Amino acid sequence: MKITWLGHSCFKIESDGGKVVVTDPFDESVNYPPPRIRADVVVVSHDHHDHNNVKALKGDPAVVRGPGKKTAEGIEFEGIASYHDEREGKLRGKNTIFCFEMDEIRVCHLGDLGHQLGEKEAAALGDVDVLMIPVGGTFTLDGEGAKKVAGQIKPRIVIPMHFKTAAVPPSFGIYPADDFLSGEKVNRPGHTLFVSKEALPKEGEGPRVMVLDYK
Ligand SMILES: [Zn+2]
């Protein structure tokens, strides 16, 4: 599997067989190069402009949103209900966490998760191989909060997202990934990360932190 970061919460996840799943395509407000790529499936964690720009994509992808199980292009997506804030959605609404499996690798994208998970919620995500987690604060988990959530989920690989980079305008109001990365051994594989079942870190090794480049 190949995982490419397009910026913010948008990843292109391509299976060995060439199926392309795109997560949370953003609009121009976050100032990354527009995600004008072909997709077979697009998942949308919630309907905010920096996550739901489905029309930017090419190839007329199937759109997966909301909680529950849905199959698209032969891939089963599990949407898990959650919130965009710490007050059960009263401030910023609902959010859907998505888990799915390709090439025997379980991927989990937390969208704009804004709160800690209960034990049951964390268990519902299953045995996560690759976790995409928001760390930029203000609208989502911040670095400290994200460390706790990642510690509960215990993925093999963790990829921070939704944080301030050189591209994002300061007025957007999110922070860099520094707090999340402090004290961690950070790997920087570049724009694209190659993941295979065989090469995953072993259980108990602790998550391998991968910071991708957005271009
Ligand atoms: Zn957002």
Side-chain angles (χ1 to χ4, degrees):
M1 170 190 294
K2 283 196 286 190
I3 300 175
T4 303
W5 191 36
L6 301 176
H8 213 46
S9 303
C10 185
F11 294 87
K12 175 188 178 187
I13 304 160
E14 184 172 2
S15 74
D16 295 343
K19 283 259 187 280
V20 174
V21 175
V22 171
T23 61
D24 281 8
F26 48 79
D27 67 0
E28 63 283 350
S29 66
V30 273
N31 204 33
Y32 289 109
R36 283 195 206 100
I37 55 168
R38 188 194 68 79
D40 296 299
V41 183
V42 54
V43 298
V44 175
S45 65
H46 66 295
D47 249 327
H48 285 169
H49 59 85
D50 54 329
H51 296 263
N52 70 352
N53 192 16
V54 168
K55 65 182 188 305
L57 301 171
K58 297 175 187 167
D60 194 21
V63 183
V64 175
R65 321 171 176 256
K69 287 191 180 176
K70 281 165 201 137
T71 303
E73 294 285 327
I75 306 160
E76 188 176 274
F77 294 86
E78 291 171 58
I80 294 139
S82 57
Y83 299 105
H84 200 323
D85 55 54
E86 289 173 322
R87 294 179 53 196
E88 301 194 328
K90 284 190 187 75
L91 302 177
R92 285 183 287 277
K94 292 181 176 172
N95 176 68
T96 307
I97 295 170
F98 279 104
C99 298
F100 60 96
E101 223 174 289
M102 288 199 311
D103 301 335
E104 293 178 72
I105 295 163
R106 186 167 174 84
V107 177
C108 179
H109 185 285
L110 296 182
D112 265 1
L113 183 68
H115 57 91
Q116 295 294 309
L117 298 177
E119 246 170 70
K120 266 191 188 164
E121 287 173 292
L125 306 188
D127 197 356
V128 176
D129 294 315
V130 180
L131 179 71
M132 286 92 164
I133 187 165
V135 305
T138 311
F139 310 110
T140 69
L141 295 171
D142 60 10
E144 286 300 311
K147 269 182 195 265
K148 284 187 202 155
V149 170
Q152 268 182 308
I153 299 173
K154 297 186 181 69
R156 307 296 171 94
I157 290 172
V158 61
I159 305 175
M161 63 179 183
H162 209 275
F163 57 88
K164 170 83 176 79
T165 64
V168 178
S171 58
F172 199 88
I174 54 176
Y175 294 90
D178 304 13
D179 285 353
F180 182 73
L181 301 178
S182 76
E184 303 287 345
K185 184 180 175 293
V186 178
N187 302 273
R188 296 185 185 270
H191 189 37
T192 298
L193 170 68
F194 293 82
V195 184
S196 70
K197 188 81 187 162
E198 299 73 40
L200 284 171
K202 298 285 165 278
E203 209 177 335
E205 270 183 33
R208 196 172 288 168
V209 180
M210 295 284 183
V211 178
L212 301 190
D213 294 330
Y214 57 86
K215 61 181 180 185

